[in-house]
Amino acid sequence: MPTNRISIILTVKNETKFLYNVLRQLCPQNPDELIIVDGNSTDDHIGLYDTLAKMYSFRLLKNTSQDSPFGAFATGIKEAKNEFVSLWSVDDDPYPDYLKKMTSAINTFNA
């Protein structure tokens, strides 16, 4: 029986300027699971992740694959705990009711 829970896989590599914005829009929607996969960023991401972890709930994984961003998505998918997975890039701009609409679509079409 489907759980209708969604894991969001969010990849980032040297794009921390976008990270706060996407989390600020996504996290108030209470995602079932949020996994951030870092592709070995070299920008100022370490301090930002620590700060964001105090504000939002997510798991941070490191992508060790050289096949980025696909390797980063694969890393996140392997760790996802839910039946449905939504793949995001850090510069995505989610609608305020994105997760509600996704859950509604899953239920409507009996995915």
Side-chain angles (χ1 to χ4, degrees):
M1 179 158 178
T3 63
N4 296 350
R5 294 174 56 94
I6 302 168
S7 294
I8 295 178
I9 312 299
L10 176 66
T11 61
V12 60
K13 182 172 182 178
N14 295 329
E15 300 167 304
T16 55
K17 64 184 177 183
F18 298 113
L19 188 57
Y20 174 75
N21 185 52
V22 72
L23 291 180
R24 181 179 54 80
Q25 294 179 60
L26 179 63
C27 289
Q29 298 182 47
N30 298 313
D32 299 313
E33 179 180 39
L34 175 57
I35 301 171
I36 298 174
V37 184
D38 183 271
N40 300 308
S41 294
T42 57
D43 60 354
D44 183 30
H45 67 286
I46 300 297
L48 184 60
Y49 285 140
D50 291 343
T51 300
L52 292 173
K54 294 174 186 170
M55 300 165 56
Y56 304 113
S57 177
F58 60 85
R59 281 196 296 153
L60 178 62
L61 303 176
K62 298 291 182 188
N63 177 30
T64 56
S65 170
Q66 298 300 316
D67 183 22
S68 191
F70 304 108
F73 285 131
T75 297
I77 290 169
K78 288 179 199 172
E79 295 293 322
K81 295 180 178 167
N82 295 310
E83 181 177 9
F84 297 96
V85 176
S86 181
L87 304 177
W88 292 46
S89 295
V90 73
D91 60 349
D92 286 342
D93 193 15
Y95 287 100
D97 59 351
Y98 172 82
L99 290 175
K100 182 178 177 182
K101 286 184 177 183
M102 288 296 295
T103 302
S104 177
I106 290 168
N107 292 330
T108 298
F109 297 105
N110 197 22

